[in-house]
Amino acid sequence: MPQSRTQRIKTISEFHQLRGLPQPEHPLLSVVDYSKMKRSPLDDASALLFDFYVISNKRGITGKMRYGQQLFDFDNGVLGFMSPNQLLKLEENDAVTNVNRSGWMLLIHPDFLWNTTLAKTIKEHEFFDYSANEALFLSESEEKTLNDIIGNIQREYRANMDKFSKNIIVSNLETLLNYSERFYNRQFLTREKANHQVLNRLEELLNAYFSTDGLISKGLPSVQYIADNLNISSKYLSSLLKVLTGQSTQQHIHEKLIEKAKEKLSTTALSVSQIAYELGFEHSQSFSKLFKTKTKLSPLEFRAGFHYATES
């Protein structure tokens, strides 16, 4: 049974040492072969924290990892991303004892990216904030593409470093991340059944929330509330919705709000202030401003126009 503790790994060199690997050829960058990793105290931890970026492509791994309420199984090859200080919880992790494991881990210390454009743009790749159960399932050709890039990075830092080396490595890292964006976009589209189930659950969740009196006491649901109830990270949910519907999670919440507001404006005699209160707004001006932004009409203009249309 894993002990109830979190293991923090501060340097790439420390990770190599704990996994029984030779010292890294570069102190701030390393490609690790999964098949060469040995069992270590890391396997007895209940959670891991890294002070560096981790990009991993795993195959034949039997361990399970938990994010939120879901377990994710690494029996199949998947690509995962972790940012520094992102907590990774482990369960029944016997990955290092599996003789069939293969794949690689790319370890990148933030200091390596210092004074490069990637130091800022890496934060724009939202998949670093996805959960383990939202990993990227690669096709054979996609995996080959990324393996080739990893090979380029490895060859470059193993060669004699010169003034071009860092820029070439960073360029390859940017290419790898851009391909990952493309492959995630493909996954959002090809995993149609699972993704549309998420859309259906989102619709049901919003309908239930807006059909209760919770709006008065709790206000509008937050993006994090929606994500937690769908057992999905907020960043993954937003990325998925943008690909499938062109709208963010916040826009879906506002769309449902406007739908409910139109219903109240057209079927009740409640004042705008009363409607705003029932929809969770402390100030009716905030409600009116949002309504006009979304519909190009004020609540009163909509009500007047609706009544005119029905009477005609």
Side-chain angles (χ1 to χ4, degrees):
M1 291 289 292
Q3 299 176 16
S4 180
R5 65 186 183 87
T6 298
Q7 175 79 41
R8 187 182 198 112
I9 303 96
K10 296 182 178 180
T11 66
I12 292 174
S13 177
E14 181 184 1
F15 180 86
H16 274 244
Q17 183 179 2
L18 288 168
R19 282 301 185 192
L21 299 166
Q23 280 299 298
E25 296 164 270
H26 192 291
L28 302 178
L29 184 77
S30 180
V31 176
V32 174
D33 185 340
Y34 263 111
S35 67
K36 296 180 180 178
M37 290 200 316
K38 297 178 182 178
R39 186 166 181 82
S40 82
L42 297 181
D43 301 303
D44 297 321
S46 59
L48 299 177
L49 272 175
F50 299 95
D51 284 5
F52 42 85
Y53 292 97
V54 179
I55 303 173
S56 58
N57 181 35
K58 306 180 183 182
R59 284 195 171 277
I61 304 298
T62 60
K64 297 179 185 295
M65 299 186 181
R66 178 181 291 276
Y67 271 83
Q69 302 177 33
Q70 297 192 33
L71 281 175
F72 186 72
D73 200 327
F74 280 99
D75 289 341
N76 297 314
V78 292
L79 190 71
F81 301 83
M82 286 190 65
S83 295
N85 300 314
Q86 183 179 355
L87 188 67
L88 176 63
K89 295 182 180 179
L90 307 179
E91 292 204 3
E92 304 169 18
N93 189 13
D94 59 348
V96 295
T97 64
N98 187 337
V99 296
N100 296 318
R101 70 185 185 275
S102 63
W104 46 262
M105 290 179 74
L106 174 60
L107 314 177
I108 313 160
H109 197 281
D111 288 352
F112 181 80
L113 304 178
W114 183 80
N115 206 28
T116 70
T117 56
L118 189 56
K120 293 183 179 179
T121 60
I122 194 169
K123 296 178 178 64
E124 297 173 5
H125 295 283
E126 294 186 338
F127 44 68
F128 278 105
D129 292 318
Y130 294 171
S131 297
N133 59 305
E134 299 154 353
L136 176 59
F137 290 77
L138 296 170
S139 69
E140 187 175 339
S141 63
E142 290 171 347
E143 188 169 13
K144 183 182 183 307
T145 296
L146 298 188
N147 286 346
D148 288 344
I149 297 171
I150 289 296
N152 291 340
I153 293 172
Q154 203 167 26
R155 282 189 294 273
E156 191 61 37
Y157 74 67
R158 282 178 171 172
N160 292 327
M161 298 286 284
D162 57 29
K163 65 178 183 179
F164 301 102
S165 301
K166 184 174 181 177
N167 288 338
I168 291 172
I169 292 173
V170 167
S171 178
N172 274 278
L173 288 173
E174 289 175 329
T175 301
L176 186 147
L177 295 175
N178 287 332
Y179 269 115
S180 298
E181 289 277 8
R182 169 186 279 181
F183 299 157
Y184 256 116
N185 192 79
R186 182 271 308 158
Q187 181 165 289
F188 290 141
L189 296 173
T190 55
R191 300 181 71 188
E192 184 175 5
K193 181 178 178 181
N195 291 336
H196 279 84
Q197 286 175 344
V198 172
L199 287 179
N200 291 337
R201 288 165 55 208
L202 171 65
E203 186 68 16
E204 291 170 1
L205 179 62
L206 289 175
N207 282 336
Y209 193 97
F210 279 85
S211 296
T212 67
D213 295 330
L215 284 166
I216 297 176
S217 58
K218 295 186 263 185
L220 289 178
S222 66
V223 171
Q224 192 61 54
Y225 171 87
I226 298 296
D228 289 345
N229 278 269
L230 294 176
N231 292 321
I232 298 175
S233 69
S234 58
K235 288 293 181 66
Y236 186 89
L237 177 60
S238 182
S239 298
L240 171 64
L241 292 176
K242 284 177 183 176
V243 170
L244 295 182
T245 69
Q247 293 183 316
S248 66
T249 310
Q250 189 68 61
Q251 287 172 319
H252 275 269
I253 294 171
H254 285 165
E255 189 175 73
K256 183 59 63 175
L257 169 75
I258 298 303
E259 179 185 310
K260 199 69 178 177
K262 287 180 175 179
E263 177 186 320
K264 290 179 180 291
L265 287 165
S266 60
T267 61
T268 75
L270 293 172
S271 69
V272 172
S273 295
Q274 288 173 314
I275 292 173
Y277 174 74
E278 290 191 358
L279 292 177
F281 285 85
E282 187 175 350
H283 304 289
S284 62
Q285 297 93 329
S286 299
F287 163 67
S288 297
K289 182 178 180 181
L290 177 63
F291 190 92
K292 187 160 189 176
T293 298
K294 297 295 182 180
T295 67
K296 309 303 180 187
L297 297 170
S298 70
L300 290 178
E301 287 170 339
F302 172 82
R303 174 175 271 170
F306 180 85
H307 287 161
Y308 175 80
T310 54
E311 291 167 2
S312 301

